Structures are given as C-alpha cells and as structure tokens.
Amino acid sequence: MNIVVLISGSGTNLQAIMDAVEGGKIQGNLAAVISNRPDAKGLIRARERGVETLVVDHTSYGTREAFDADLLQAIEHYQPDLVVLAGFMRILTDHFVDHFSGRMLNIHPSLLPEFKGLNTHQRALDAGATEHGCSVHFVSSELDSGAVIGQAKVPVEANDTAQSLSEKVQQQEHRLYPACVALFCSNAIRLSADGVLYQGSLLPATGLDLTED
Ligand code: GRF
C-alpha cells in the first residue's frame, strides 16, 4: 500500500506512523509527506527518515478550489492507496473529499460524534464529560462526520485541565492512528455505503474500541 500523509504542524502522529512503518507494524510504503505550511516541524521529522516531502502552500492560492486542485494533483503523483490527514488544518472541498472517498483517514481529538470541530478538550471539560479520547474516521464532506474506524478513551479526572487532557489524548492518538492505518493496509477495514466494514461485518457508529487495557 502506498501512503501519503498530509500535515500542517508538529507531526507527532506522523512520527508514530513512520515508527510503525519502520517497525513493520504497518504493511505499507510511506511515499510522501505533504504540508500546506513550509515551517511545519513534521517536514523535518519526515526528512530525517528519508521520506520525500513537498509543500503546497495554501497562502499562494486565491481560492480554496485552486489550492485543492493542486494538492490533489500533488498527492495523485504518488498513486496512493491511502491518504492520511495527520494534523492537517485545512477544510477540504467536496470535490477533493469525494475524489479520495474510502481511502482518506483523519484523526480527531474527541470521542465522535461528541465535540466535532476545535477546542475539544476544553469543551469536554465544560460539558462535565467523564470520558474523553480520540477517533480515527474516514473523511466525508461534512466536517468530522465520516464513518468511525476506531476510538481510544481516556478518563477525565477532577484535576484535569485542557492541557493535561490534550497530553493524555495525544498519547492515545499515537497508538490509535498507527493501529487504524495498519488495519486499512491489511485490508481488514473498508468503507461501505452503510458504514465501516471490519472483516466483513459492519462496525457500530463509534467503531472499534481500541482503548489500551
Ligand atoms: C492532533 O491532536 C490531532 O488530533 C489534531 O491535530 C493534532 C495534530 O498533532 N487533528 P500532530 O501534528 O500530529 O503532532
């Protein structure tokens, strides 16, 4: 499987995925890492691993459509079986999302369908949630609403802050994302019209519970 990873920032999820590829846990080839920001730290992580990098800078484009069209071409150059959004902070056009339907994943720092969008940790605290976590899902045209492959949960303690929750959730992200990419690359999961099929059976809306024991 050929994998292209899209990033905008620090790339800790990218790092976890690169480690899993190198360690043989993901049966795939990391063809390229593409960033919309030239200063993304994740680009350095990729170069250190000898992975090809590319910048498609959204600030050089007048419209979202023009940016997405070039980004799509840049990705397709690598003929990916899978596109992984790892902290990629741009909203994508429907055309782009449809083009990669069933082969593009995202990680979101909440237990979807709770807390779509930004500031998820503070919102979980404000809502008095006792559990929080992260979700990996297929990307669909509605933001953070695609079919969920897997989730990992963390308990919310009385003394948690948005910062402490974010650290706990990120630790889980670094386990959950490689695990879900590995499932995709081994053909264990695929998107169907009804949701995610795991070894041929339809998963519940919250996906697999991949919380660490
Ligand atoms: C992660 O917390 C992810 O859930 C969110 O963006 C962050 C990316 O972090 N979508 P990193 O760039 O992988 O370190």
Side-chain angles (χ1 to χ4, degrees):
M1 289 255 182
N2 249 353
I3 307 169
V4 170
V5 180
L6 268 53
I7 60 165
S8 300
S10 81
T12 60
N13 280 286
L14 163 68
Q15 184 76 56
I17 290 166
M18 289 193 300
D19 290 348
V21 169
E22 192 163 293
K25 290 184 185 148
I26 292 173
Q27 301 298 314
N29 162 52
L30 197 44
V33 171
I34 303 179
S35 173
N36 65 306
R37 295 181 55 123
D39 59 348
K41 198 174 151 207
L43 289 171
I44 300 169
R45 295 178 193 272
R47 287 178 200 132
E48 275 171 0
R49 281 291 170 95
V51 175
E52 195 166 322
T53 61
L54 194 74
V55 174
V56 184
D57 186 344
H58 66 278
T59 62
S60 330
Y61 293 85
T63 65
R64 200 178 285 282
E65 286 71 21
F67 167 69
D68 276 16
D70 267 15
L71 181 62
L72 189 151
Q73 278 216 337
I75 297 170
E76 277 300 349
H77 170 77
Y78 298 99
Q79 302 191 312
D81 302 290
L82 177 64
V83 177
V84 173
L85 307 184
F88 184 70
M89 301 304 282
R90 301 296 299 167
I91 300 217
L92 297 161
T93 57
D94 287 357
H95 171 69
F96 185 99
V97 170
D98 289 346
H99 180 87
F100 292 110
S101 177
R103 56 181 175 131
M104 182 156 65
L105 308 185
N106 183 42
I107 189 155
H108 182 74
S110 79
L111 298 174
L112 291 171
E114 297 289 324
F115 312 122
K116 297 172 183 175
L118 296 174
N119 299 321
T120 57
H121 309 302
Q122 188 58 52
R123 286 163 58 209
L125 286 175
D126 293 347
T130 55
E131 259 186 343
H132 186 45
C134 44
S135 310
V136 171
H137 62 92
F138 282 101
V139 177
S140 69
S141 49
E142 205 183 326
L143 188 70
D144 300 329
S145 297
V148 174
I149 296 164
Q151 297 188 323
K153 297 173 182 159
V154 301
V156 181
E157 327 270 359
N159 58 354
D160 265 323
T161 61
Q163 178 62 27
S164 68
L165 261 189
S166 138
E167 282 162 19
K168 287 201 281 194
V169 170
Q170 281 225 357
Q171 266 187 17
Q172 293 302 313
E173 289 184 13
H174 301 157
R175 228 177 30 77
L176 179 68
Y177 217 171
C180 290
V181 170
L183 287 172
F184 185 91
C185 288
S186 65
N187 289 313
I189 50 165
R190 69 178 177 83
L191 184 64
S192 77
D194 301 318
V196 178
L197 291 176
Y198 172 61
Q199 291 170 344
S201 305
L202 195 62
L203 287 179
T206 50
L208 294 166
D209 185 347
L210 295 171
T211 307
E212 211 167 17
D213 294 328

